[in-house]
Amino acid sequence: ELDAGNYAGATLTVARSGTASSDDSFGIDATGASFTISGGTLVVSSQSIASFSSSGGTLTVTFTSYATPSLVDAVLQRVTYANSDDAPPSSVNLAWSLSDGNSGGQGSGGALSATGTATVSITPLDGLPEPTAPASITATEGAAYSFTGGTLISLTDADGGGPATIKVTLSVGQGTLTLGTTTGLTFLTGDGTADASISFTASQTDADTALGSLSYTATSSSANSDTLSVSVAGRTPGAISLSAL
């Protein structure tokens, strides 16, 4: 019934074939389009022609009565896809479905749908390493606690690539941090000895070695608890809960 131009309630869905993946995200690119985007709404001349959302690896676009065949075509041609996996597959098959949403207003026969699939090739990028750290540790006030064994802080690079130099930042709210090994590090904040905050650039190998030599000293001002933040620039910081006895 869509040939008649009645798109009220029509819905486009796009997701990975078989099972939707949270690694997949979709959007609508309005660059050069006849519509604009306001939040999750597609707008033409102050009128909403559709709403859209991308959640759990599924794109859903719901059209309104203000949508026209040409506008719907424009939306379909501007669907975007991105994959957040550090080690993605070489390609994914995406399944799409366009339902007219007919509940009687477009004619008899109920809702009708058109379906299809498309293969998207993925070019992986060298991702940044991600810090791996324990959720919490218990230290003794005034004594250096070394992050070794099961509490070792290290860098994990899922795709095995990454830039030649990375920036690492460590900070605590109360105690101090010391790096036993600083070879290859260029310090931006602190010097690696009894610092509340340390920031440096280094190769991933040298940064990983330095993190493996990290120790924390709780001070009397730590008030029995502290938080260690570990971050690689461009990644979401990790936090370690520190308890002092």
Side-chain angles (χ1 to χ4, degrees), residues 33-128:
S34 55
F35 59 84
T36 59
I37 297 177
S38 176
T41 303
L42 308 182
V43 179
V44 174
S45 300
S46 300
Q47 297 292 345
S48 169
I49 64 166
S51 60
F52 73 97
S53 65
S54 176
S55 177
T58 299
L59 171 70
T60 303
V61 182
T62 303
F63 295 96
T64 73
S65 60
Y66 291 99
T68 64
S70 62
L71 287 172
V72 171
D73 283 344
V75 173
L76 298 181
Q77 293 170 19
R78 287 170 171 79
V79 172
T80 63
Y81 169 81
N83 186 288
S84 61
D85 192 344
D86 281 336
S90 59
S91 64
V92 295
N93 291 321
L94 302 179
W96 59 266
S97 173
L98 179 62
S99 170
D100 63 13
N102 180 30
S103 59
Q106 300 175 31
S108 61
L112 299 175
S113 297
T115 61
T117 60
T119 300
V120 178
S121 297
I122 301 175
T123 301
L125 301 176
D126 285 338
L128 291 165

Side-chain angles (χ1 to χ4, degrees), residues 1-7 65 67-69 100 105-107:
E1 302 296 341
L2 296 181
D3 288 341
N6 186 350
Y7 284 87
S65 60
T68 64
D100 63 13
Q106 300 175 31

Side-chain angles (χ1 to χ4, degrees), residues 2-245:
L2 296 181
D3 288 341
N6 186 350
Y7 284 87
T11 303
L12 168 71
T13 59
V14 185
R16 192 178 298 201
S17 295
T19 304
S21 171
S22 59
D23 291 330
D24 300 332
S25 60
F26 300 88
I28 305 292
D29 182 7
T31 304
S34 55
F35 59 84
T36 59
I37 297 177
S38 176
T41 303
L42 308 182
V43 179
V44 174
S45 300
S46 300
Q47 297 292 345
S48 169
I49 64 166
S51 60
F52 73 97
S53 65
S54 176
S55 177
T58 299
L59 171 70
T60 303
V61 182
T62 303
F63 295 96
T64 73
S65 60
Y66 291 99
T68 64
S70 62
L71 287 172
V72 171
D73 283 344
V75 173
L76 298 181
Q77 293 170 19
R78 287 170 171 79
V79 172
T80 63
Y81 169 81
N83 186 288
S84 61
D85 192 344
D86 281 336
S90 59
S91 64
V92 295
N93 291 321
L94 302 179
W96 59 266
S97 173
L98 179 62
S99 170
D100 63 13
N102 180 30
S103 59
Q106 300 175 31
S108 61
L112 299 175
S113 297
T115 61
T117 60
T119 300
V120 178
S121 297
I122 301 175
T123 301
L125 301 176
D126 285 338
L128 291 165
E130 187 169 13
T132 300
S136 63
I137 63 101
T138 299
T140 300
E141 183 179 321
Y145 177 92
S146 296
F147 292 87
T148 59
T151 63
L152 181 71
I153 299 174
S154 61
L155 299 175
T156 301
D157 191 353
D159 61 18
T165 301
I166 60 174
K167 178 184 176 182
V168 178
T169 300
L170 309 166
S171 65
V172 289
Q174 306 294 338
T176 61
L177 301 169
T178 295
L179 295 172
T181 301
T182 59
T183 302
L185 276 56
T186 299
F187 286 96
L188 305 175
T189 303
D191 60 6
T193 301
D195 297 313
S197 178
I198 301 172
S199 181
F200 61 84
T201 58
S203 67
Q204 181 176 333
T205 298
D206 288 339
D208 211 22
T209 299
L211 290 174
S213 70
L214 178 67
S215 63
Y216 165 76
T217 300
T219 62
S220 58
S221 61
S222 298
N224 298 324
S225 65
D226 203 348
T227 300
L228 167 58
S229 174
V230 184
S231 67
V232 174
R235 285 287 195 183
T236 301
I240 305 170
S241 177
L242 309 174
S243 299
L245 299 178

